[in-house]
Amino acid sequence: MINFLLLPILIPLMTGVLLIFFPKHIKWQRWIAGIFSFITIIVSTMLVQKVKTDGIQTLDVSSWDAPFGITLVSDMLSALLVLTTSIVAFACLLFSFRSIGEEREKFYYYPCYSFLIVGVNGAFTTGDIFNLFVFFEVMLMASYALMVLGGTKIQLRETIKYLLVNVISSALFVITVAYLYSVVGTLNMAHISERISEVGQPGIITVIAILFLIVFGLKGAIFPLFFWLPDSYYAPPVPVMALFGALLTKVGVYSIMRTYTLFFYHDTGYTHQILAILAILSIIFGVIGAIAYWDIKKIIIYNIIIAVGAILFGVSAMTPDALTGSVFYLIHDMLIKAALFLLVGVMIAISGTSNLKDISGLIKRYPGLAWTFFISALALAGIPPLSGFVGKLLIIKGGFEAEQYWGAAIVLMSSLLILFSIMKIFINGFWGTPRAYEGEEKVPVKTLMIAPVVLVTISVFYGVGSEVIFPYISQAAETLVNPEIYIEAVLKER
């Protein structure tokens, strides 16, 4: 019997290993990477349907029963995030074929790309807290290589900063896991939850919860730990930037979401209140950055921080509506951020600059690019009936239910300011007097537009067809609202 749970990790791993043997055969690398990336989407879709019909899927590696061995777990939240990751990875891969350049491709770009997806999908799937650290490291090692590939001055400078932050974060992660193990005596996430529920949530567990918030907050770029993100994500080429912006911070967000609903839900008065405050501050500072900058990459990058704040505010509220909204909005943001980064990448390829003051009138020669960007901007801001609306509405509703009125109001107001920041690109970059840009006729705009158009189309369907999608989202949120479902699925053999 095929275990679909393992395949989204195993296929990119085998692809990366295979591609190492063909470093100079760029066409072969493209074909192999593209075909197996598409196969990963297919098996991820099958996994989602399997979880939908048969419930949470588990795999005890090496036949060691939980909680003694390593367990992989796919509930609906994990399966949906793996599917979204596979779609985003395939789209960014298509964009890479005509934009990344052979100089980067021949230095193991595609193997590193595949190993990054191994880390992301593994982090979403693991049921063991130490193996979450392992998959984080796989993801980060691949991201170091992708960030520095090309060796430009800004890449080298920002990779050093990115490396230092993540080395410190990883060390703190191991220390926090060791503290947790010393208290509960297990690394299996379901078993950890069971042990914590037996002892309540004494002071040491609250300290561990805050340490996890620092660790995952650094990786997820929550206030005030986002200081490294704007410049680090600015440095790499566009498809790498899109991949990082759509996926890497979301692994940190997922980790907070998972631990704060599975481990630390017994005494939420302190830990979740801190999470709520940091989430609101993330939204505020993200909005300030998005409005202040005239660099189109920086505007989208600061919108990552706003989205992180909105998602985690829903987690802090801990109501069924808020958690459902956070899951819905998380998937929406992965799709639409990747699309927006790729669209601004096309704008930069045409104009040769990311400075908005040097771009204007693109709509005359590139109407398809302009209107695709416009739809993406509306979706990002949460204009109904697009994908950002449903998730944000549920988060706001959940905030009011939890009596976090100020936070809910700030999430609501952020939609207007997001729209302002993103429409600044549309109004100044696409309207106005058309300019002639050197070398624009050589840019394969139609080919480059395939990937963002696919992502925007999926995003539009995700919003307009939310009634079709909603049963899956509800099933994903149910595990967060009732952690007993997750625990029973993993520890059923005991």
Side-chain angles (χ1 to χ4, degrees):
M1 180 180 173
I2 298 173
N3 199 318
F4 292 112
L5 182 153
L6 189 60
L7 290 178
I9 303 170
L10 198 59
I11 292 171
L13 177 63
M14 293 296 102
T15 304
V17 172
L18 179 63
L19 291 173
I20 289 173
F21 295 100
F22 305 102
K24 307 302 179 187
H25 299 278
I26 303 303
K27 288 186 178 179
W28 288 18
Q29 292 216 32
R30 289 174 182 171
W31 275 102
I32 292 169
I35 289 168
F36 283 104
S37 183
F38 187 74
I39 291 171
T40 307
I41 295 175
I42 295 171
V43 298
S44 301
T45 305
M46 292 177 175
L47 175 61
V48 169
Q49 204 54 44
K50 180 78 172 173
V51 174
K52 177 68 176 167
T53 54
D54 298 341
I56 296 173
Q57 302 295 298
T58 63
L59 175 65
D60 295 320
V61 179
S62 300
S63 299
W64 282 89
D65 293 338
F68 306 107
I70 296 168
T71 304
L72 299 177
V73 184
S74 246
D75 61 352
M76 185 56 78
L77 174 61
S78 168
L80 287 174
L81 292 178
V82 166
L83 174 58
T84 310
T85 297
S86 303
I87 292 168
V88 168
F90 181 69
C92 294
L93 198 64
L94 289 180
F95 195 90
S96 297
F97 293 160
R98 296 302 301 273
S99 66
I100 200 75
E102 288 197 13
E103 284 303 309
R104 286 187 170 96
E105 286 177 304
K106 68 184 180 183
F107 284 104
Y108 303 98
Y109 172 74
Y110 294 111
C112 291
Y113 194 101
S114 298
F115 293 138
L116 182 85
I117 304 307
V118 172
V120 174
N121 284 346
F124 288 146
T125 306
T126 185
D128 182 284
I129 193 68
F130 184 76
N131 271 276
L132 179 61
F133 165 76
V134 172
F135 281 118
F136 259 110
E137 291 308 297
V138 172
M139 175 185 79
L140 289 171
M141 283 188 286
S143 71
Y144 301 149
L146 289 173
M147 181 171 279
V148 81
L149 205 59
T152 63
K153 185 177 179 181
I154 185 174
Q155 284 180 282
L156 293 169
R157 185 183 71 235
E158 294 306 324
T159 301
I160 292 170
K161 183 199 298 182
Y162 181 73
L163 185 64
L164 287 172
V165 167
N166 281 291
V167 165
I168 294 167
S169 174
S170 297
L172 186 58
F173 194 171
V174 174
I175 292 167
T176 306
V177 169
Y179 271 127
L180 182 63
Y181 183 77
S182 72
V183 175
V184 298
T186 182
L187 295 171
N188 182 281
M189 291 165 74
H191 201 211
I192 290 169
S193 180
E194 195 176 60
R195 287 285 177 87
I196 291 174
S197 66
E198 290 170 1
V199 298
Q201 190 166 322
I204 185 64
I205 295 294
T206 301
V207 171
I208 291 168
I210 298 301
L211 286 173
F212 271 124
L213 182 58
I214 294 169
V215 169
F216 298 138
L218 264 170
K219 297 181 187 297
I222 192 172
F223 176 89
L225 305 171
F226 65 78
F227 60 89
W228 58 271
L229 183 137
D231 290 334
S232 293
Y233 279 18
Y234 188 89
V238 168
V240 176
M241 180 174 61
L243 197 68
F244 284 12
L247 301 183
L248 297 199
T249 52
K250 304 310 182 297
V251 177
V253 170
Y254 163 80
S255 301
I256 294 173
M257 184 181 285
R258 180 65 80 188
T259 54
Y260 269 59
T261 56
L262 185 61
F263 298 171
F264 311 119
Y265 62 92
H266 303 284
D267 180 15
T268 59
Y270 182 73
T271 52
H272 288 60
Q273 192 62 36
I274 289 178
L275 179 60
I277 292 167
L278 296 181
I280 292 164
L281 289 172
S282 298
I283 294 171
I284 293 169
F285 279 84
V287 163
I288 292 169
I291 291 172
Y293 278 96
W294 282 83
D295 187 293
I296 56 178
K297 290 199 287 187
K298 281 284 178 74
I299 292 169
I300 309 298
I301 287 169
Y302 272 96
N303 270 286
I304 295 173
I305 299 165
I306 302 171
V308 167
I311 294 162
L312 292 179
F313 175 75
V315 175
S316 72
M318 284 292 283
T319 65
D321 280 337
L323 289 169
T324 304
S326 289
V327 174
F328 199 101
Y329 198 81
L330 174 60
I331 295 168
H332 144 80
D333 196 66
M334 292 168 74
L335 292 168
I336 210 66
K337 282 296 190 308
L340 281 166
F341 275 118
L342 297 181
L343 288 167
V344 299
V346 178
M347 293 173 67
I348 293 166
I350 292 165
S351 63
T353 180
S354 61
N355 188 338
L356 192 53
K357 294 179 179 178
D358 295 331
I359 308 171
S360 70
L362 290 177
I363 195 168
K364 186 172 182 180
R365 289 193 296 277
Y366 308 101
L369 171 62
W371 294 116
T372 305
F373 186 91
F374 182 73
I375 294 168
S376 304
L378 296 182
L380 184 70
I383 304 300
L386 298 173
S387 56
F389 173 71
V390 179
K392 190 162 282 189
L393 180 66
L394 287 170
I395 290 170
I396 293 165
K397 184 183 176 186
F400 280 118
E401 288 172 356
E403 299 182 353
Q404 296 188 18
Y405 303 116
W406 278 105
I410 288 171
V411 172
L412 181 61
M413 285 295 297
S414 70
S415 292
L416 295 175
L417 297 170
I418 290 168
L419 186 62
F420 174 80
S421 72
I422 209 78
M423 290 305 289
K424 182 167 70 173
I425 298 176
F426 184 74
I427 292 166
N428 291 278
F430 290 100
W431 297 106
T433 306
R435 300 188 185 186
Y437 302 103
E438 186 178 347
E440 68 173 298
E441 66 280 351
K442 297 178 183 177
V443 178
V445 175
K446 290 182 179 179
T447 309
L448 292 177
M449 281 297 295
I450 293 171
V453 165
V454 168
L455 288 173
V456 172
T457 303
I458 294 170
S459 176
V460 168
F461 173 76
Y462 185 59
V464 175
S466 56
E467 287 188 19
V468 178
I469 303 295
F470 207 76
Y472 295 87
I473 303 297
S474 296
Q475 188 175 336
E478 189 180 8
T479 312
L480 302 178
V481 175
N482 300 305
E484 296 83 10
I485 299 170
Y486 184 96
I487 295 166
E488 288 173 9
V490 176
L491 303 179
K492 58 183 179 294
E493 298 295 331
R494 295 198 313 145

